């Protein structure tokens, strides 16, 4: 009589510990896919907002008017717009307090932009550490379930008089399912983490370039 070796049957017939490992891996996979879709939309929206703000900034060049629109909420603000708003706002406040201190105005503006830059970068990077952890740990969790299942299979041979491949094949197949689920959770997480890290690095480079360019503009206008 042929044994049913479907994936569902193998999962249902696995030992309780191996089933718990599989469930954990499924939950990790769901969390990773949720993070992947959320970060995909977030980074895409951030890239679009950055391109739009850069276009408006270099086309308009009315820094005061642009700042007022952002401050009053009349214009949607991405990360780059928030960096600009922080730097411009600090520059204007310092100029009112110390109008003759050009270096003080520029230093205060740069510090405010750096702080805003770090906040926005932290916001963009939030969640991708889960992908890195899942990509690193999931294969080992699956391997643990596999080793445990194979140990149970060979332990069961002690109760039979004749050991055959048919006797151990189902147990080994059940155990290997845990490794397969672990790889299924790990591979997309690693690919997505590398892609998101690359995209965030490119955005961070654009933010840093803007901070330097905007500081130079403020320096010229303040003289």
């Amino acid at each position: 009589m042929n044994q049913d070796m479907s994936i569902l049957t193998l999962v249902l017939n696995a030992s309780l510990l191996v089933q718990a490992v599989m469930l954990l891996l499924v939950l990790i996979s769901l969390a990773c896919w949720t993070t992947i879709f959320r970060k995909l939309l977030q980074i895409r929206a951030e890239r679009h907002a950055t391109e739009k703000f850069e276009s408006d900034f270099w086309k308009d060049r009315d820094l005061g008017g642009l700042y007022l629109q952002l401050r009053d909420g009349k214009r949607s603000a991405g990360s780059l717009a928030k960096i600009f708003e922080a730097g411009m706002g600090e520059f204007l406040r310092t100029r009112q307090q110390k109008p003759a201190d050009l270096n003080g105005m520029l230093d205060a503006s740069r510090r405010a932009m750096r702080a805003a830059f770090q906040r926005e970068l932290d916001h963009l990077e939030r969640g991708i550490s889960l992908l890195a952890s899942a990509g690193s740990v999931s294969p080992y969790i699956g391997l643990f379930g596999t080793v445990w299942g194979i140990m149970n299979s060979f332990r069961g041979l002690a109760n039979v008089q004749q050991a055959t491949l048919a006797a151990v094949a189902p147990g080994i197949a059940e155990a290997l399912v845990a490794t397969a689920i672990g790889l299924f959770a790990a591979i997309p997480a690693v690919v997505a983490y590398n892609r998101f890290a690359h995209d965030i690095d490119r955005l961070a480079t654009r933010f840093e370039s803007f901070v330097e360019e905007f500081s130079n503009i403020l320096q010229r206008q303040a003289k």
Side-chain angles (χ1 to χ4, degrees):
M1 183 176 179
N2 293 332
Q3 291 179 308
D4 186 2
M5 298 288 286
S6 66
I7 299 297
L8 180 60
T9 301
L10 293 175
V11 171
L12 294 176
N13 291 335
S15 65
L16 186 60
L17 180 60
V18 176
Q19 287 181 339
V21 169
M22 293 178 183
L23 177 60
L24 176 60
L25 290 171
V26 169
L27 294 176
I28 291 175
S29 181
L30 290 175
C32 287
W33 280 107
T34 300
T35 301
I36 288 171
F37 285 118
R38 181 171 59 83
K39 298 303 292 185
L40 187 64
L41 295 175
Q42 181 188 12
I43 292 176
R44 183 178 299 172
E46 186 56 53
R47 189 185 299 116
H48 176 73
T50 298
E51 292 173 354
K52 185 176 185 306
F53 179 78
E54 283 181 333
S55 176
D56 293 342
F57 178 84
W58 293 111
K59 179 175 61 178
D60 192 2
R61 300 303 293 271
D62 181 10
L63 302 184
L66 184 59
Y67 169 72
L68 292 176
Q69 289 180 2
L70 291 170
R71 189 193 64 180
D72 298 337
K74 296 179 181 180
R75 182 190 292 264
S76 58
S79 294
L80 192 58
K82 293 177 182 177
I83 293 171
F84 163 78
E85 184 180 0
M88 191 67 182
E90 189 63 29
F91 179 82
L92 294 176
R93 282 190 293 271
T94 307
R95 187 168 66 176
Q96 289 180 348
Q97 297 171 359
K98 302 176 182 179
D101 188 1
L102 174 59
N103 290 331
M105 288 185 280
L106 295 175
D107 289 342
S109 176
R110 186 183 293 271
R111 286 196 301 270
M113 285 193 287
R114 285 292 176 184
F117 165 79
Q118 193 58 55
R119 285 195 301 270
E120 296 304 315
L121 190 61
D122 290 343
H123 179 66
L124 287 173
E125 291 177 340
R126 190 175 304 154
I128 66 171
S129 59
L130 171 65
L131 300 178
S133 299
S136 300
V137 173
S138 294
Y140 295 104
I141 296 176
L143 183 60
F144 169 75
T146 297
V147 171
W148 187 268
I150 292 175
M151 286 172 55
N152 282 340
S153 297
F154 283 106
R155 192 180 303 150
L157 292 179
N159 300 324
V160 298
Q161 295 181 348
Q162 184 177 3
T164 62
L165 180 61
V168 297
I172 294 176
E174 294 164 7
L176 290 174
V177 172
T179 296
I181 297 176
L183 293 175
F184 178 79
I187 293 173
V190 171
V191 173
Y193 174 81
N194 291 334
R195 180 60 189 178
F196 293 152
H198 172 72
D199 290 343
I200 292 172
D201 283 344
R202 291 186 63 182
L203 286 171
T205 300
R206 294 175 71 172
F207 296 165
E208 288 180 335
S209 298
F210 176 81
V211 169
E212 296 302 321
E213 292 170 346
F214 183 47
S215 296
N216 290 336
I217 292 173
L218 289 178
Q219 185 175 12
R220 288 195 298 268
Q221 291 192 354
K223 288 182 179 181

